[in-house]
Amino acid sequence: MVISFLVFLGAFALVGFSSILVSRPVEGDYYLAGSQQPPWLVGLSAVATNNSGYMFIGVIGYTYAAGLAAIWLMLGWITGDLLASLFVHDRLRRRTASLNAMSYASVLSNWGGKPQPGLQRLMAVITLVLLLAYASAQLVAGGKALQALLDWPVWGGATLAAGLVLVYCSAGGIRASIWTDAAQSLVMIVAMGALLVVALNALGGFSGALHSMSQIDGYLDWTPDDMVLPGVAGGVLFALSWLFAGLSVIGQPHVMVRFMALSGDAPMWRARAWYYLWFTAFYAMATGVGMLSRIHLADPGSFDAELALPLMAMDLFPPALVGLVLAGIFAATLSTADSLLLSCSATLTHDLLPHRTERILWMKLSTAGITALALAWALFNRQSVFSLVVMSWSGMASAFAPLLIVLCLGARPSQRVGVSMVVIGLGTALLWRVAGLQDAMYEGMPGILAGLLTYAAGARLELATAQNAACGASSEPSAH
């Protein structure tokens, strides 16, 4: 088990290191790989970044507890993600190229050609805090996997993940991240597929698994217990809220930077095809494995549900294949952690420092510092992986997605309106979570809607103010 795990880990590191052969020591290469990545690499990298330790650890843990109702997360998430990509991704790529921007915040704050430094700094601070929280959750997920399978302390696995990511990202920047993501996506889907097949066979196939699940009260219900509304209406509202979770991908700098790195002459639909075919297959298998884990690990009160997948792998697989599953989980955490840490580094050097630095040494040092902060957060973290990821995801979505949507629609909000959209969107999502309403409805939905309403109100107010000023000026008597 340990040997197979180390073999896969070494392969990932080798793929990342090999990127140094074509990397150039300039900012555009370190943070955007020269914007020359082919569609298949962009698609696989983006899907690996999205299907993180959250999928292996968080989603499977949630499905273990919720049962069939968890399928609404998958349906809503993928639908929302697809709708957003059809409208936003290509526009964001073209604007990135025209501005020669290096970070997500710099694209949005300079979209109309007039710099908005206050908005850029605000977005940078929010990005830094929430991506650090997100990265710490990925390190915790890796630590939990090693704890379950190798009896390592969580801090040991988290430290190993942080060290490995730092080494190959420092070597090749985002190109190393994209290349390793593609390799990791292959291991992730093979590991999940193998576990699904073996788990089904152990229960006598699909019919046997279905019979076992039917014995658990409410496990095959289509709607969750904690809905705001009962019946079909509640199910629709629950699915709609998770559609906003999928739409929220456009507010995630670490995912969107993949599409920003796509070669300018490559068709976006090819990257999108790779992304959604892989995403749908992997999410469906993860949901299936989560439901089967409830049968194989029948006592929900005796362990942490977020360890369901590694524990089930230990029960069903020989040691070599357990190493494969462990590598898949670890690959998922690495594929997102490296993206998060590089996005934080770009935010620090490009958006926050008073004088932008284009020295590759400072970029690598900032990556090292960010990695150390994420590891420290992971070691002191007391929240579940699922909770921390959803909080970070919804926070960035509520802060940034409304602004990106109105920019893609052709609007050009002033800096004051843009800042208001970011603050009110994020504040709404955080208040929703503080009030404990996130179990009934994903907090990104009210957050995104609040940001869009803020734009409508702010733009209307500015227009009325401008009209009043114009009327006042025209009514003044002329001097003779």
Side-chain angles (χ1 to χ4, degrees):
M1 176 175 67
V2 176
I3 293 176
S4 63
F5 169 67
L6 292 176
V7 167
F8 281 111
L9 209 58
F12 295 147
L14 185 61
V15 169
F17 283 135
S18 66
S19 68
I20 200 171
L21 299 175
V22 295
S23 297
R24 294 178 294 117
V26 295
E27 185 182 31
D29 199 81
Y30 189 75
Y31 288 136
L32 286 178
S35 296
Q36 293 297 318
Q37 298 306 291
W40 71 272
L41 263 181
V42 167
L44 289 182
S45 175
V47 80
T49 298
N50 200 348
N51 292 342
S52 59
Y54 158 78
M55 192 74 71
F56 270 99
I57 301 296
V59 164
I60 288 179
Y62 178 81
T63 305
Y64 178 95
L68 185 60
I71 197 172
W72 290 108
L73 272 69
M74 182 184 79
L75 296 176
W77 194 301
I78 293 177
T79 302
D81 193 335
L82 177 60
L83 291 175
S85 77
L86 293 173
F87 177 66
V88 168
H89 288 26
D90 207 36
R91 291 176 173 85
L92 179 63
R93 176 182 63 164
R94 292 198 302 268
R95 187 62 65 177
T96 300
S98 67
L99 294 172
N100 194 29
M102 295 295 115
S103 70
Y104 180 84
S106 65
V107 177
L108 269 63
S109 59
N110 293 278
W111 190 286
K114 182 180 179 181
Q116 297 180 334
L119 176 62
Q120 185 171 352
R121 285 192 292 271
L122 173 64
M123 291 183 65
V125 170
I126 293 171
T127 297
L128 201 58
V129 172
L130 293 181
L131 286 188
L132 274 173
Y134 201 159
S136 75
Q138 301 310 308
L139 300 180
V140 170
K144 283 190 172 187
L146 291 184
Q147 180 186 48
L149 292 174
L150 302 179
D151 200 27
W152 284 20
V154 173
W155 68 264
T159 303
L160 175 63
L164 191 61
V165 165
L166 175 60
V167 169
Y168 69 71
C169 281
S170 295
I174 198 171
R175 182 178 282 104
S177 175
I178 289 174
W179 286 17
T180 52
D181 283 353
Q184 289 158 0
S185 67
L186 295 172
V187 174
M188 287 159 60
I189 204 164
V190 169
M192 192 68 78
L195 190 55
L196 179 65
V197 170
V198 172
L200 275 173
N201 288 339
L203 294 172
F206 182 78
S207 60
L210 194 62
H211 174 74
S212 298
M213 291 176 192
S214 67
Q215 305 304 305
I216 303 174
D217 185 38
Y219 203 65
L220 295 180
D221 289 350
W222 282 94
T223 54
D225 297 332
D226 51 4
M227 296 184 305
V228 177
L229 300 174
V232 175
V236 170
L237 181 60
F238 184 79
L240 182 62
S241 72
W242 283 97
L243 182 145
F244 273 80
L247 184 147
S248 298
V249 72
I250 61 175
Q252 312 306 313
H254 61 292
V255 178
M256 298 309 294
V257 73
R258 264 70 188 146
F259 297 101
M260 291 162 64
L262 180 63
S263 176
D265 58 359
M268 180 64 73
W269 70 263
R270 290 185 182 174
R272 193 179 290 123
W274 279 97
Y275 178 86
Y276 288 104
L277 288 173
W278 216 264
F279 191 7
T280 302
F282 186 79
Y283 208 144
M285 288 191 291
T287 301
V289 168
M291 294 188 68
L292 292 172
S293 68
R294 182 65 177 268
I295 309 302
H296 288 280
L297 305 169
D299 183 5
S302 63
F303 72 100
D304 182 351
E306 291 193 336
L307 297 177
L309 185 142
L311 291 174
M312 189 166 69
M314 292 179 68
D315 284 347
L316 297 175
F317 277 174
L321 288 182
V322 174
L324 172 66
V325 172
L326 177 57
I329 298 172
F330 217 69
T333 64
L334 295 180
S335 66
T336 300
D338 56 20
S339 311
L340 295 163
L341 296 172
L342 282 170
S343 291
C344 284
S345 178
T347 295
L348 182 62
T349 61
H350 193 79
D351 301 319
L352 277 181
L353 291 181
H355 301 289
R356 273 182 48 193
T357 176
E358 297 186 5
R359 294 180 60 187
I360 196 69
L361 175 61
W362 286 109
M363 297 177 202
K364 292 182 178 183
L365 288 175
S366 73
T367 303
I370 291 296
T371 303
L373 287 175
L375 178 59
W377 193 328
L379 298 181
F380 291 99
N381 173 64
R382 293 295 180 269
Q383 290 183 281
S384 72
V385 172
F386 185 85
S387 175
L388 197 55
V389 168
V390 172
M391 180 193 73
S392 303
W393 184 279
S394 63
M396 288 185 291
S398 301
F400 306 147
L403 180 59
L404 182 54
I405 289 170
V406 300
L407 289 170
C408 288
L409 284 171
R412 297 294 179 264
S414 66
Q415 178 166 270
R416 180 180 299 177
V417 171
V419 167
S420 299
M421 292 173 67
V422 169
V423 171
I424 292 175
L426 175 60
T428 300
L430 294 178
L431 287 173
W432 195 268
R433 177 163 281 270
V434 168
L437 299 174
Q438 71 276 7
D439 291 333
M441 182 188 298
Y442 164 68
E443 62 263 33
M445 181 175 176
I448 292 173
L449 292 175
L452 293 174
L453 289 173
T454 300
Y455 167 72
R460 189 178 183 87
L461 180 61
E462 287 190 341
L463 178 61
T465 302
Q467 289 175 340
N468 290 337
C471 291
S474 65
S475 65
E476 291 180 2
S478 58
H480 297 285

